[in-house]
């Protein structure tokens, strides 16, 4: 029998891994995969893990990723993971088998109004009610997921529609149903942007995730070099440019570098490339962006241009095309570089950050400080390591302290703050880029939220290393109770198993490290052990990041 239309359509889009849990609504589809070696069904242990894995794969490859789960609770379990993909502009296609068509609106077994449930966290949420419409509507789904600002889509297909294989399908390549050419900037906008750069005394590049999605990473550094423009990155977007670049100061935003914040406060022109200036980048107040600062904002979607901070110039275009046009224009019109004084100030801030981080190598108290853990990681992680950082207190220290050299190597929960994302996202990232070392960094709280996927990792041979920094509490919240509630702790303390032993029970490799000078060697060994591995490091239970609202409430 020929493969179901759904499988053929997914393969046309380059989907090679399908994440989910086996369900009775799509058994015909799974049966077709028995003989098909070009696509693997990654059978996970909780649907939330499937969605996070798809998100991780999509973020590191830039290609669409897909989940296939069953109706009712199978689909509702995906919801948080699809929301995470929505916040990350990640092209995840979530597909669910539904009840029999004849049983809709009858409160049938596992019947819920999923299409409306998923609407607020997707670019498109749709029900396919006839087999012959599967090709058209799946192409619509991929067009929505992959064009403009990317994002997840949700598709529900009743089981009788999904398992009807009698349809004829004309296979056409993606470029015939979704445009692939990037949106060009308006020439007037380019001329005005160049003029504003020319007039500015302290111009600063703010580099966002749009630079990764547009493959504009080399262009941003060329642009920075040509005009001697200092650079900072938006929250969670540290991998958009090589952090060793002499013009890069550091990351802005929650748990970012104070030196980047200082640069932002001093700038008279913010040149924002592919960033929404979102909540954890800017806090929507004036602590970083001074009132009256001139802003140029380049975004693929008009929704966020000037949304929070009024812009002097909004450019609705692809980041790479815009940078290309700016480079050409600057060449022809001889735009002069930023002033020597501003370059010197940027160097001073960059050096201040570097020496501050190096100083943390001297932290020697036990249990080890999380800052020291990152100091050790910076020494030993291979340059192409993909790092997924969970929400929570111990991971938060990583935003300012991890070093990135290549694009698409940093995955965070961004402004959703999803605990438990990091480990499954790392598994998806490893499947998407099997040659890269992959490290998930967790606190104890977040890791246990999806640690069941250790079994998936072992069974599928997905060799990711997970670092669990254990302080036996929900650290981000405990920090608030410490600062603002006189240390009256409610709901903040938790208990844990020994995670090295826990890993071994699943057939993974486990390590337990108490001393900072052993972290590097253990990490190197874990990355080379040929198995999924978990490293537990007990950390100082009294070391917390400053609460996010500290500035407002203090």
């Amino acid at each position: 029998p020929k493969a179901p239309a759904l499988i053929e359509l997914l393969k046309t889009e380059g989907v090679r891994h399908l994440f989910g849990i086996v369900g009775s609504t799509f058994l015909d589809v799974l049966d077709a995969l028995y003989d098909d070696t070009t696509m693997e069904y990654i059978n996970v242990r909780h649907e939330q893990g499937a969605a996070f894995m798809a998100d991780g794969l999509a973020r590191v490859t830039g290609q669409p990723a897909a989940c296939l789960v069953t109706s009712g609770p199978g689909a509702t379990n995906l919801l948080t993971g699809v929301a995470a993909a929505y916040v990350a502009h990640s092209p995840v296609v979530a597909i669910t088998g539904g009840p029999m068509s004849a049983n809709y609106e009858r409160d049938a077994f596992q019947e819920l109004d999923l299409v409306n449930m998923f609407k607020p966290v997707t670019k498109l949420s749709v029900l396919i009610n006839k087999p012959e419409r599967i090709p058209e509507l799946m192409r619509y789904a991929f067009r929505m997921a992959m064009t403009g600002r990317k994002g997840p889509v949700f598709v529900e297909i009743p089981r009788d529609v999904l398992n009807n294989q009698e349809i004829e399908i004309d296979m056409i390549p993606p470029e015939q149903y979704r445009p692939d050419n990037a949106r060009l900037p308006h020439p007037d906008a380019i001329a005005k942007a160049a003029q504003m750069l020319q007039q500015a005394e302290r111009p600063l590049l703010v580099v966002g995730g749009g630079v990764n999605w547009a493959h504009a990473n080399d262009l941003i550094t060329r642009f920075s070099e040509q005009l001697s423009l200092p650079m900072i990155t938006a929250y969670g977007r540290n991998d958009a440019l090589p952090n060793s670049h002499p013009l890069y100061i550091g990351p802005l935003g929650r748990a970012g570098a104070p030196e980047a914040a200082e640069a932002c406060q001093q700038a008279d022109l913010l040149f924002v490339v592919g960033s929404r200036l979102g909540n954890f980048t800017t806090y929507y107040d004036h602590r970083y962006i001074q009132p009256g600062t001139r802003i140029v904002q380049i975004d693929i979607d008009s929704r966020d241009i000037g949304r929070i901070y009024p812009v002097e110039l909004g450019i609705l275009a692809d980041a790479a095309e815009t940078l290309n046009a700016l480079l050409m224009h600057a060449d022809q019109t001889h735009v002069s570089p930023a002033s020597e004084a501003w370059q010197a100030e940027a160097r001073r801030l960059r050096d201040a950050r570097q020496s501050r981080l190096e100083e943390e190598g001297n932290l020697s108290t036990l249990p080890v400080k999380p800052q020291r853990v990152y100091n050790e990681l910076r020494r030993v992680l291979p340059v192409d390591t993909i790092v997924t950082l969970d929400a929570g207190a111990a991971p938060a220290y990583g935003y300012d302290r991890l070093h990135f050299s290549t694009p698409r190597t940093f995955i965070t929960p961004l402004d959703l703050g999803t605990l438990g994302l990091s480990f499954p996202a790392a598994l998806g990232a490893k499947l998407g880029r099997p040659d890269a070392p992959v490290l998930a960094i967790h606190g104890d709280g977040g890791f246990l939220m999806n640690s069941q996927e250790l079994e998936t990792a072992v069974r599928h041979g997905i060799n990711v290393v997970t670092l669990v920094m254990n302080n036996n509490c929900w650290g981000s919240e405990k920090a608030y109770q410490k600062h603002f509630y006189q240390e009256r702790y409610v709901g903040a303390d938790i208990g844990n198993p020994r995670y090295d032993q826990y890993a071994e029970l699943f057939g993974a490799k486990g390590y337990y490290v108490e001393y900072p000078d052993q972290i590097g060697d253990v990490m190197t060994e874990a990355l080379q052990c040929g198995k999924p591995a978990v490293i537990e490091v007990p950390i100082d239970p009294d070391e917390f990041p400053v609460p996010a609202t500290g500035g407002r409430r203090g």
Side-chain angles (χ1 to χ4, degrees):
K2 61 180 186 176
L6 181 71
I7 295 296
E8 291 304 322
L9 290 157
L10 290 170
K11 289 205 299 205
T12 301
E13 282 283 359
V15 174
R16 295 292 170 260
H17 300 94
L18 200 48
F19 301 95
I21 292 180
V22 55
S24 60
T25 54
F26 54 90
L27 290 173
D28 284 22
V29 174
L30 285 181
D31 188 63
L33 293 180
Y34 188 84
D35 303 310
D36 190 338
T37 54
T38 60
M39 186 182 285
E40 187 177 11
Y41 191 68
I42 305 287
N43 190 18
V44 305
R45 302 309 298 270
H46 189 293
E47 289 88 354
Q48 185 180 103
F52 285 151
M53 287 178 208
D55 183 11
L57 189 149
R59 288 203 226 178
V60 300
T61 62
Q63 298 304 311
C67 306
L68 178 59
V69 303
T70 200
S71 52
T76 58
N77 278 353
L78 279 182
L79 196 61
T80 300
V82 171
Y86 185 65
V87 167
H89 325 305
S90 194
V92 170
V93 179
I95 307 159
T96 185
M100 296 293 283
S101 300
N103 282 337
Y104 275 70
E105 303 299 336
R106 285 180 162 183
D107 294 339
F109 178 66
Q110 295 193 335
E111 182 205 346
L112 290 169
D113 183 0
L114 296 168
V115 169
N116 277 316
M117 235 180 253
F118 277 85
K119 264 190 180 138
V121 292
T122 52
K123 287 182 74 182
L124 171 73
S125 184
V126 68
L127 176 81
I128 303 182
N129 59 1
K130 289 186 171 150
E132 55 272 23
R133 296 203 67 190
I134 290 175
E136 168 213 347
L137 290 171
M138 285 306 296
R139 286 170 185 146
Y140 178 28
F142 276 104
R143 183 161 59 250
M144 288 298 282
M146 290 297 291
T147 51
R149 176 178 288 155
K150 296 177 172 58
V153 296
F154 176 75
V155 181
E156 179 176 1
I157 313 177
R159 64 194 297 167
D160 48 314
V161 175
L162 192 52
N163 293 328
N164 178 347
Q165 304 311 329
E166 300 309 304
I167 65 166
E168 283 303 313
I169 171 168
D170 279 338
M171 290 315 295
I172 56 176
E175 57 271 19
Q176 291 189 1
Y177 56 83
R178 58 179 178 85
D180 207 19
N181 289 327
R183 177 180 275 172
L184 295 169
H186 196 284
D188 294 354
I190 294 300
K192 182 168 181 195
Q195 183 191 359
M196 289 174 68
L197 278 167
Q198 191 69 75
Q199 292 163 350
E201 286 179 29
R202 296 178 302 284
L204 180 66
L205 282 180
V206 181
V207 182
V211 167
N212 274 344
W213 289 112
H215 304 287
N217 311 85
D218 292 343
L219 286 166
I220 199 83
T221 51
R222 267 182 49 206
F223 182 58
S224 162
E225 286 161 8
Q226 188 163 329
L227 298 176
S228 304
L229 298 171
M231 300 180 279
I232 59 175
T233 42
Y235 171 72
R237 302 303 191 181
N238 313 35
D239 60 338
L241 53 92
N243 294 182
S244 57
H245 198 284
L247 285 160
Y248 177 58
I249 297 168
L252 185 68
R254 164 126 205 227
E259 297 81 5
E262 201 179 320
C264 195
Q265 288 155 355
Q266 290 186 44
D268 64 348
L269 172 67
L270 293 179
F271 205 91
V272 182
V273 187
S275 169
R276 295 180 303 113
L277 296 176
N279 194 186
F280 268 9
T281 297
T282 63
Y283 285 112
Y284 299 154
D285 58 23
H286 291 298
R287 69 182 76 178
Y288 303 144
I289 299 180
Q290 299 296 296
T293 305
R294 302 176 88 195
I295 297 175
V296 175
Q297 193 176 7
I298 300 161
D299 204 304
I300 195 71
D301 189 332
S302 61
R303 186 188 72 161
D304 294 304
I305 293 180
R307 188 176 182 185
I308 308 292
Y309 299 92
V311 296
E312 192 89 0
L313 173 65
I315 303 180
L316 183 64
D318 174 80
E321 296 293 352
T322 306
L323 290 167
N324 259 324
L326 281 163
L327 280 161
M328 281 171 61
H329 186 89
D331 254 351
Q332 291 156 4
T333 55
H334 309 297
V335 177
S336 53
S339 75
E340 212 31 74
W342 179 232
Q343 290 180 53
E345 175 60 8
R347 276 195 300 276
R348 180 189 73 77
L349 289 169
R350 176 180 167 79
D351 293 346
R353 175 175 178 236
Q354 299 303 331
S355 51
R356 173 173 60 80
L357 295 184
E358 274 160 37
E359 191 62 33
E360 292 177 350
N362 300 326
L363 295 168
S364 56
T365 50
L366 292 178
V368 60
K369 298 270 191 196
Q371 298 94 319
R372 175 71 191 270
V373 176
Y374 289 105
N375 192 284
E376 297 300 321
L377 293 180
R378 275 200 310 279
R379 272 188 326 106
V380 299
L381 289 181
V383 288
D384 57 341
T385 306
I386 294 169
V387 179
T388 65
L389 202 57
D390 208 47
Y397 286 99
Y399 283 95
D400 183 24
R401 290 171 177 81
L402 290 162
H403 190 97
F404 296 92
S405 312
T406 46
R408 299 184 177 283
T409 50
F410 190 33
I411 293 179
T412 81
L414 299 164
D415 283 0
L416 191 62
T418 333
L419 279 161
L421 172 139
S422 176
F423 175 52
L427 297 179
K430 184 69 176 173
L431 289 169
R433 301 221 330 240
D435 298 337
V438 180
L439 170 65
I441 299 180
H442 272 283
D444 48 305
F447 178 61
L448 204 56
M449 284 196 169
N450 277 307
S451 63
Q452 74 281 350
E453 303 308 338
L454 264 172
E455 195 281 320
T456 310
V458 169
R459 180 165 30 89
H460 284 280
I462 312 169
N463 299 338
V464 158
V465 177
T466 304
L467 173 67
V468 181
M469 287 189 240
N470 187 357
N471 56 6
N472 290 301
C473 69
W474 299 109
S476 294
E477 286 61 42
K478 194 167 183 176
Y480 280 91
Q481 292 177 345
K482 178 178 178 173
H483 280 269
F484 303 122
Y485 296 93
Q486 294 78 52
E487 303 186 16
R488 291 155 57 89
Y489 298 122
V490 180
D493 293 304
I494 48 181
N496 288 286
R498 273 277 296 255
Y499 285 112
D500 56 328
Q501 297 172 21
Y502 182 83
E504 300 275 348
L505 286 171
F506 282 96
K509 194 95 177 71
Y511 301 89
Y512 187 81
V513 187
E514 290 176 275
Y515 299 97
D517 55 3
Q518 296 169 352
I519 291 169
D521 290 347
V522 169
M523 180 58 67
T524 302
E525 187 185 326
L527 285 167
Q528 292 163 357
C529 76
K531 279 178 159 185
V534 176
I535 304 169
E536 178 178 349
V537 180
I539 58 164
D540 185 342
D542 296 317
E543 182 69 39
F544 301 119
V546 177
T549 59
R552 283 205 303 280
R553 300 178 56 158

